[in-house]
């Protein structure tokens, strides 16, 4: 994977256990601090505290972020392909891309997607859960439709919208990454990343795509600033580092430490 890319820091503002005003203010503070990307997640219920409590929907939220922010890129880490028709996803992404464009500049939306996994979301909202394999098959079928719809829309997106795909499965997920992704996100350990990247490279050969420019993304520790772990991920090829923060009070003190590490790495 490309090692010339700068280190970037993305903060996932988890839309749980908080008022929307707290979420909005946190996004603005993160942009002012200088983070590169702000993410949310695509669920209908909290993922902590027994899945009870305040929670907000992802795509309507990032439409607001597109308008309220000026510089930072943003997206969902990651959207669930199961919840929305593929062509609708493409149109929503294109619209958010245009909303986020300021002046003559391009949009700032990153299209993050994955196959989905949280059973309660599916049950409560009436989606068929299926199996991991069937959900991955649906994602593989959706991606060409999304890309084809972007080519048909009037107006088209302001830029080639970056595609971020999450997951680590070697038989299906990494094949989809090889065919479609600009960014690959996972929670793979530094020790396991070389093997996964080798699998991804082999899938690139199989589908006829040079995957060397795919940005490798990984999660930072939520509990402490573990520089050794981050350095190991960097040495393994990671260039986009993400950190999740949760409500009701979004603690940004770790963010400032990670920004200093990012800046030192970028020299």
């Amino acid at each position: 994977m490309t090692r010339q890319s700068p280190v970037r820091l993305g903060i996932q503002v988890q839309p749980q256990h908080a008022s929307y005003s707290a979420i909005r203010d946190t996004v603005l503070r993160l942009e002012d601090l200088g983070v590169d990307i702000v993410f949310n997640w695509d669920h209908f219920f909290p993922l902590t505290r027994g899945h009870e409590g305040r929670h907000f929907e992802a795509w309507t939220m990032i439409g607001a972020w597109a308008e309220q922010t000026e510089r930072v890129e943003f997206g969902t880490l990651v959207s669930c392909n199961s919840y929305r028709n593929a062509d609708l996803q493409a149109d929503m992404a294109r619209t958010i891309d245009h909303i986020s464009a300021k002046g003559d500049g391009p949009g700032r939306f990153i299209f993050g997607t994955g196959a989905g996994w949280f059973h309660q979301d599916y049950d409560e909202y009436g989606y068929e859960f299926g199996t991991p394999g069937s959900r991955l098959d649906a994602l593989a079928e959706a991606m060409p439709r999304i890309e084809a719809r972007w080519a048909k829309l009037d107006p088209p997106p302001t830029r080639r919208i970056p595609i971020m795909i999450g997951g680590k499965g070697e038989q299906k997920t990494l094949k989809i990454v090889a065919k479609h992704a600009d960014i690959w996100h996972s929670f793979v350990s530094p020790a396991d990343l070389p093997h996964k990247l080798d699998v991804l490279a082999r899938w690139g050969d199989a589908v006829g795509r040079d995957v060397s420019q795919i940005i490798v993304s990984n999660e930072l520790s939520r509990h402490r600033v573990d520089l050794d772990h981050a350095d190991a991920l960097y040495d393994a090829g990671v260039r986009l580092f993400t950190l999740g923060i949760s409500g009701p009070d979004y603690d940004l003190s770790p963010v400032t430490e990670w920004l200093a590490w990012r800046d030192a790495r970028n020299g």
Side-chain angles (χ1 to χ4, degrees):
M1 300 305 101
T2 179
R3 290 174 177 265
Q4 285 70 48
S5 301
V7 172
R8 306 184 76 209
L9 180 64
I11 305 300
Q12 185 189 57
V13 182
Q14 299 166 355
Q16 61 175 2
H17 305 305
S19 66
Y20 186 71
S21 61
I23 295 170
R24 180 180 57 237
D25 292 348
T26 298
V27 170
L28 291 174
R29 290 168 62 201
L30 290 169
E31 182 170 50
D32 288 343
L33 284 172
V35 304
D36 300 291
I37 308 170
V38 180
F39 294 109
N40 60 14
W41 66 29
D42 191 18
H43 295 288
F44 305 131
F45 301 92
L47 295 186
T48 62
R49 303 184 190 177
H51 310 309
E52 299 291 335
R54 290 182 174 185
H55 198 274
F56 293 96
E57 193 275 330
W59 278 79
T60 44
M61 180 181 296
I62 56 177
W65 292 4
E67 191 67 67
Q68 79 176 56
T69 57
E70 297 288 333
R71 176 200 58 81
V72 72
E73 289 191 292
F74 62 94
T76 295
L77 183 63
V78 289
S79 183
C80 177
N81 176 69
S82 304
Y83 302 157
R84 303 161 192 89
N85 169 281
D87 293 271
L88 175 61
Q89 291 181 63
D91 205 341
M92 293 165 68
R94 181 280 311 254
T95 300
I96 291 171
D97 168 71
H98 276 265
I99 293 170
S100 67
K102 304 299 181 182
D104 296 328
R108 295 170 287 116
F109 177 64
I110 294 172
F111 182 75
T113 190
W117 62 272
F118 187 38
H119 212 311
Q120 184 176 346
D121 284 344
Y122 286 80
D123 287 349
E124 291 279 352
Y125 278 61
Y127 296 105
E128 182 180 349
F129 190 60
T131 66
S134 68
R135 294 193 300 276
L136 282 165
D137 290 342
L139 178 61
E141 293 168 3
M143 291 310 304
R145 286 178 57 188
I146 289 166
E147 293 165 341
R149 181 58 57 186
W150 281 338
K152 296 176 183 177
L153 289 169
D154 184 8
T158 67
R159 65 172 181 169
R160 185 182 178 279
I161 296 176
I163 295 170
M164 178 185 209
I165 294 177
K168 64 178 182 178
E170 297 180 11
Q171 297 303 311
K172 293 187 176 184
T173 303
L174 290 181
K175 181 180 180 180
I176 301 170
V177 171
K179 292 182 73 172
H180 300 285
D182 302 289
I183 306 167
W184 168 50
H185 181 77
S186 78
F187 299 86
V188 174
S189 71
D192 291 336
L193 267 172
H195 169 69
K196 295 293 185 180
L197 293 174
D198 181 65
V199 173
L200 180 57
R202 284 188 271 121
W203 273 123
D205 292 340
V207 303
R209 183 182 176 213
D210 177 8
V211 300
S212 64
Q213 299 304 306
I214 293 176
I215 301 297
V216 181
S217 172
N218 206 299
E219 178 82 3
L220 293 166
S221 172
R222 302 180 187 185
H223 305 293
R224 61 190 178 94
V225 178
D226 187 342
L227 297 181
D228 290 339
H229 181 70
D231 288 339
L233 288 172
Y234 179 90
D235 291 341
V238 175
R239 291 298 180 270
L240 173 57
F241 294 81
T242 67
L243 177 69
I245 58 175
S246 180
D249 301 312
Y250 293 99
D251 179 11
L252 302 190
S253 56
V255 176
T256 59
E257 296 183 68
W258 283 120
L259 284 169
W261 178 83
R262 176 202 68 183
D263 294 343
R265 272 295 185 182
N266 289 333

